[in-house]
Amino acid sequence: MIKPTIAMDFEALDKLQNTMQDNLYLEYVYHKLFDNPTWTWEQARQHEPVWHFPECWRARYWLYYSQHQQYLQGARILDLGSNMNFYGTWALLHGAAAVTGIEPDKTRYDLGCEYAALRGVSDHLVTHNISIDTYRAQCSEHYDVVFLLDVLYYLVNGIDVLTWIRDTVKPRYVFLESTVVEDFAAQGHFEVWYPETDTKKLQSFGNTSHNLALKPSRQALFNVINNQGWKILSYYDYQDFRGHGESPPRRQGLKDFYLLERTI
């Protein structure tokens, strides 16, 4: 197991609270998702936003865009499990050339398309309302970067997906973040769990007909990455984030972030 190459900069997170300016857009999207599906942008823009970016969001933003923006410059990105297109949109606003999103949930897909349009990036962001497995069966296109952000642990075939990314998509870089579980053996293990399929539940992902998924332990995830021949450019284990934020896995230090480079 490797040591983290990144330590969280909490002073930078505090500064982001004042510089991340699109909270009104996200507040609008979340209102439409959770409590007011008929809400319109014209109505929303009449009000000052009351929603502000939680510390976990700022941590992810800092990791992806403040620390690794140079890997996004001019890149064509495949965003697997693109949810509501927040991270693909922010990648475009930080220099990416184009983003293709894959989002199986129809409600989140629709909201993601609306969010991209509101942010003025629709010409460079295309989202497909299909599962990752369906896309894998159809796709032979190459991309410069793949986002696999908080998706791997929702899959029952995560190792196969990583192999497909390496051998078929052939990106130069992969941004990978996943919930992990504590290790109890040196070789690592995978834990069976049952994600929600309700769109309004945060831990939900309607990717396949399976009603279970495999959550890797920290060592298991490292072993898979190492076995597949990825070069680890950056690694953050959220251990110094314990007690911070709102997301239980991050607050418990049970997330891993990798920036990977394909070497095969």
Side-chain angles (χ1 to χ4, degrees):
M1 193 67 199
I2 65 168
K3 294 183 178 180
T5 62
I6 299 172
M8 186 57 64
D9 185 340
F10 290 98
E11 183 177 341
L13 300 194
D14 291 339
K15 291 178 180 177
L16 281 174
Q17 185 70 278
N18 299 318
T19 58
M20 295 175 71
Q21 299 297 320
D22 59 346
N23 48 320
L24 179 58
Y25 297 100
L26 271 70
E27 181 178 273
Y28 166 67
V29 168
Y30 274 124
H31 270 308
K32 290 197 72 170
L33 175 63
F34 290 113
D35 56 44
N36 196 346
T38 62
W39 191 241
T40 68
W41 176 243
E42 290 304 317
Q43 291 173 313
R45 66 190 302 182
Q46 304 302 318
H47 305 275
E48 288 295 320
V50 297
W51 185 89
H52 297 284
F53 285 94
E55 192 173 27
C56 289
W57 284 62
R58 286 178 276 135
R60 296 181 69 183
Y61 190 99
W62 179 82
L63 272 174
Y64 307 160
Y65 309 110
S66 299
Q67 292 298 292
H68 300 104
Q69 181 177 357
Q70 67 268 32
Y71 300 98
L72 304 175
Q73 299 305 297
R76 295 174 62 254
I77 298 174
L78 175 62
D79 187 1
L80 296 172
S82 54
N83 204 323
M84 290 177 282
N85 284 334
F86 300 148
Y87 294 99
T89 296
W90 292 336
L92 289 167
L93 296 175
H94 283 81
V99 175
T100 298
I102 306 301
E103 175 50 48
D105 185 284
K106 182 62 166 60
T107 299
R108 295 183 183 192
Y109 162 81
D110 288 338
L111 289 171
C113 292
E114 184 176 5
Y115 172 73
L118 289 173
R119 300 306 313 276
V121 300
S122 292
D123 288 346
H124 302 282
L125 194 158
V126 176
T127 312
H128 301 288
N129 182 213
I130 57 176
S131 72
I132 292 174
D133 288 339
T134 299
Y135 184 73
R136 286 175 60 203
Q138 299 173 354
C139 174
S140 59
E141 192 171 357
H142 298 169
Y143 289 86
D144 305 309
V145 174
V146 169
F147 280 180
L148 193 63
L149 300 174
D150 264 354
V151 170
L152 183 73
Y153 64 103
Y154 285 105
L155 307 177
V156 74
N157 58 345
I159 296 176
D160 290 340
V161 170
L162 276 173
T163 304
W164 168 77
I165 291 171
R166 183 195 65 189
D167 296 343
T168 301
V169 183
K170 297 185 176 180
R172 177 109 187 247
Y173 305 112
V174 173
F175 284 59
L176 169 62
E177 182 157 332
S178 178
T179 293
V180 293
V181 296
E182 298 286 4
D183 288 292
F184 59 75
Q187 68 269 29
H189 67 283
F190 286 82
E191 179 180 287
V192 174
W193 75 296
Y194 299 88
E196 297 279 356
T197 56
D198 182 349
T199 296
K200 294 185 178 182
K201 296 291 181 67
L202 290 180
Q203 288 198 316
S204 66
F205 192 72
N207 179 56
T208 70
S209 59
H210 299 292
N211 63 350
L212 59 83
L214 296 177
K215 193 179 299 182
S217 72
R218 181 161 275 131
Q219 186 65 48
L221 181 56
F222 170 77
N223 287 347
V224 169
I225 289 168
N226 191 52
N227 180 261
Q228 291 197 357
W230 297 97
K231 180 180 180 181
I232 299 171
L233 299 181
S234 297
Y235 170 57
Y236 178 61
D237 65 0
Y238 279 91
Q239 293 304 292
D240 63 3
F241 201 77
R242 286 178 178 267
H244 287 266
E246 305 73 21
S247 159
R250 290 180 179 85
R251 191 173 180 83
Q252 297 164 13
L254 293 175
K255 287 281 185 183
D256 270 358
F257 167 76
Y258 287 92
L259 174 63
L260 306 175
E261 182 176 17
R262 187 174 60 86
T263 60
I264 295 176

